[in-house]
Amino acid sequence: EILKAEVKSRALKKSLEDVSKRILAGESLNKSLEKHPNVFNQFYRSIIRIGEETGSLEDNLKYLASQIQSDYDMKKKMKGAMLYPLIVIVLALIIALAVTIFILPKILNIFTVLDVKLPLTTTILIGSVYFLQKNWFFLIIGVIFLIILYRVLKRFLFFRYYFDKLFLASPVFGQINRNLILSRFAQSFYTLLKSGVPILESIEIISQTTTNEVFRRDIISLKLEVEKGGKISQGLSSFRATFPLIFGQMVSVGEKSGSLENSFRYLSKFYQKEVNSGLKTLSSVLEPVLLIVVGLFVAFIALSIITPIYQFSGSLKLR
């Protein structure tokens, strides 16, 4: 009742009202939450179910809160790291379009009447401006079409698998994304095991909550290996493309020493640090690259405009 009164989201408030009614009618918390899978996913509900069955609901809610806080902090760091480059790129595009559409046409019209041979940079600039003026609408439609096509194809597992595989293979962003998925996998496994969820059920839950199709397929295969009686570390060693050697070795140490939970906790923290390090490196690399790109663009425009003016003034002096 307190949560329902404090929540600002209408959708969440409506869900909590229904949960409250069901609990008052005698349903368990887990059964009440099952009616709202879009708000409370299977990972969330499984931890609460085990907590209710074992009488450790309070502790399980603490583990769940820690998991959600960890995911939130990681998303916040990702957004924070990409905010500055995104602002620079958007502003650069807006300025470039404004200059190209409103300012350059007035200046370039002068060059068409000058009796001088235009340099290559000016010719390229004039051609680009005229192309944008004539085809800007089709370019916008094309970009919108590509975005819609990408979202539609992502709904099909076949295309999503190759999109995710291609993204993982990218030099910088792919490695950061891989480390982020590994960190979430380890953190989720730790939280589920700590909450008392069985290993096979934990793997099943993680496979359903993993958004990357490449990792999801490997996790499903991992479950099949464990169902046959194999160890988690043995299954992970079969997927070197997604799970590094050190990941499987740390899990193996946890299995042999009886501290599998602690191994996953250590791996989660380790890959969180790797993600943080990757984001810092990305920011430090992107900033000078963006400045160089913007500087080259400005220099190209300046050179394209100033060069023919100097040529024309030089021809007047000779005359």
Side-chain angles (χ1 to χ4, degrees), residues 106-125:
K106 298 178 181 179
I107 299 174
L108 296 178
N109 286 334
I110 301 172
F111 297 149
T112 58
V113 298
L114 295 180
D115 188 19
V116 291
K117 185 180 180 181
L118 297 177
L120 179 62
T121 54
T122 308
T123 305
I124 294 173
L125 185 61

Side-chain angles (χ1 to χ4, degrees), residues 95-257:
I95 294 171
L97 288 174
V99 169
T100 303
I101 295 173
F102 299 108
I103 299 175
L104 287 180
K106 298 178 181 179
I107 299 174
L108 296 178
N109 286 334
I110 301 172
F111 297 149
T112 58
V113 298
L114 295 180
D115 188 19
V116 291
K117 185 180 180 181
L118 297 177
L120 179 62
T121 54
T122 308
T123 305
I124 294 173
L125 185 61
I126 292 174
S128 302
V129 170
Y130 287 157
F131 178 80
L132 286 173
Q133 283 181 325
K134 292 180 180 180
N135 302 286
W136 64 270
F137 179 76
F138 298 104
L139 289 174
I140 293 174
I141 295 297
V143 171
I144 294 173
F145 173 76
L146 288 175
I147 294 173
I148 294 174
L149 180 64
Y150 172 75
R151 292 192 172 184
V152 170
L153 292 178
K154 280 280 283 186
R155 295 181 180 178
F156 297 97
L157 295 180
F158 174 79
F159 289 103
R160 190 192 306 172
Y161 174 80
Y162 286 102
F163 282 138
D164 291 340
K165 190 174 183 178
L166 183 65
F167 186 66
L168 287 173
S170 60
V172 180
F173 293 98
Q175 189 59 45
I176 293 174
N177 189 39
R178 185 188 304 276
N179 290 335
L180 180 62
I181 295 170
L182 290 171
S183 175
R184 286 179 175 173
F185 175 86
Q187 179 67 30
S188 299
F189 223 132
Y190 164 76
T191 303
L192 289 166
L193 292 178
K194 195 71 175 176
S195 302
V197 181
I199 289 178
L200 279 174
E201 187 178 348
S202 297
I203 299 173
E204 174 66 24
I205 293 168
I206 294 172
S207 70
Q208 294 182 9
T209 55
T210 300
T211 55
N212 187 282
E213 184 63 19
V214 178
F215 273 86
R216 192 186 73 84
R217 292 189 181 188
D218 286 348
I219 294 170
I220 292 173
S221 300
L222 173 64
K223 184 193 173 191
L224 296 176
E225 289 290 329
V226 176
E227 281 179 337
K228 294 176 183 177
K231 294 182 178 180
I232 300 174
S233 57
Q234 292 174 341
L236 293 175
S237 63
S238 305
F239 313 115
R240 294 287 178 84
T242 46
F243 293 93
L245 179 62
I246 188 176
F247 200 99
Q249 289 176 339
M250 285 299 301
V251 172
S252 177
V253 170
E255 289 174 328
K256 292 176 181 177
S257 62

Side-chain angles (χ1 to χ4, degrees), residues 70 73-78 81 176 179-180 183 268-283:
S70 177
D73 292 341
M74 192 59 65
K75 289 179 182 178
K76 195 173 180 180
K77 288 178 182 178
M78 292 282 288
I176 293 174
N179 290 335
L180 180 62
S183 175
S268 173
K269 291 182 178 180
F270 173 79
Y271 283 103
Q272 278 182 5
K273 291 179 181 178
E274 289 293 304
V275 171
N276 294 336
S277 176
L279 290 175
K280 289 180 181 178
T281 303
L282 181 64
S283 299

